[in-house]
Each structure stands twice: as structure tokens, then as C-alpha cells.
Amino acid sequence: MKKKVLTVDDSRTIRNMLLVTLNNAGFETIQAEDGIEGLEVLEDCNPDVIVTDINMPRLDGFGFIEGVRKNDKFRAIPILVLTTESDAEKKNRARQAGATGWIVKPFDPTKLIDAIERVTA
């Protein structure tokens, strides 16, 4: 059975790159444009892993991660942050919110797939 990945990013370009990368690697990909939409689709898709941006309108990545972690049903899902940010303070804040890992954009498709495989193993 294919592993499901929920991607949450307000950039259409990044969403398209993620879709191609993940689908080519054999994953089923569900996409959302921001944290609010991410929380809405999460209820129905029950992903194996989540890849989220930090800087988004309506609800940013920190708020999204906190929202996911508040729900017992989703507490164990690994969350990888994919962002242009590389600031240690933001990484720490994401970790405290419940993020599993951190990948800086632009992403290397091979490294992204390896990270997803590692956290879903």
C-alpha cells in the first residue's frame, strides 16, 4: 500500500515540485495551501507523514503543527518542516510545537525522499 504524504505550502511552484517528486517516488500525495486547509484535509486523509512550510497566510506552519499535535489521533504522525528559514530559533520553535525534522528549500528530491522514508520506517 502506498504511503500517504500531506503537503502544506502556499507556493503553487513548491506544491507542484513536491507532487512530482513524491508521486515519482511512489507516494500518494494530498495537498493543502495553508495551515487551515491542512487541518481540514487532515481529518479525511490520515497521512503517514506531513511536509509543511512555515511562512503561510491564514495559519502558519507553527500553528498548523500545534493544531495537528493537539489531536490525539494525529499525535504520532511525523511532521517535516520544508522552508526557506534556517534560523536556529525557528527550528527550536518548530521542534517545541511538535515537528520531527527540518529541510531547507530549495529541497534536494533525493534527500527529501530519504527523510520521509526514515521518519515513516
Side-chain angles (χ1 to χ4, degrees), residues 3-4 11-12 28 31 39 41 43 64-68 75 80 83-84 86 90 93-94 97 103 112 116-118:
K3 285 185 182 164
K4 261 190 242 174
S11 162
R12 177 177 279 128
E28 180 182 338
Q31 298 196 305
L39 290 173
V41 297
E43 283 296 326
F64 171 69
I65 294 166
E66 288 164 359
V68 172
R75 195 160 284 151
L80 296 174
T83 182
T84 54
S86 57
K90 289 197 171 144
R93 187 173 162 205
I103 299 164
L112 176 68
I116 290 172
E117 294 287 2
R118 233 183 354 263

Side-chain angles (χ1 to χ4, degrees), residues 5-72:
V5 182
L6 170 61
T7 66
V8 185
D9 200 304
D10 59 316
S11 162
R12 177 177 279 128
T13 305
I14 295 292
R15 283 198 313 273
N16 288 341
M17 287 168 58
L18 284 167
L19 188 66
V20 169
T21 300
L22 295 168
N23 287 355
N24 286 346
F27 292 98
E28 180 182 338
T29 310
I30 299 101
Q31 298 196 305
E33 290 182 25
D34 62 30
I36 289 180
E37 187 183 359
L39 290 173
E40 288 167 357
V41 297
L42 183 63
E43 283 296 326
D44 298 323
C45 75
N46 203 15
D48 295 291
V49 63
I50 297 167
V51 177
T52 184
D53 189 14
I54 288 294
N55 301 312
M56 298 180 287
R58 297 200 309 158
L59 182 63
D60 68 9
F62 300 119
F64 171 69
I65 294 166
E66 288 164 359
V68 172
R69 293 297 184 229
K70 271 185 206 151
N71 188 328
D72 287 342

Side-chain angles (χ1 to χ4, degrees), residues 90-111:
K90 289 197 171 144
K91 283 185 187 178
N92 197 31
R93 187 173 162 205
R95 237 191 318 275
Q96 287 174 338
T100 312
W102 190 278
I103 299 164
V104 178
K105 293 177 190 172
F107 68 92
D108 174 325
T110 307
K111 286 182 180 161

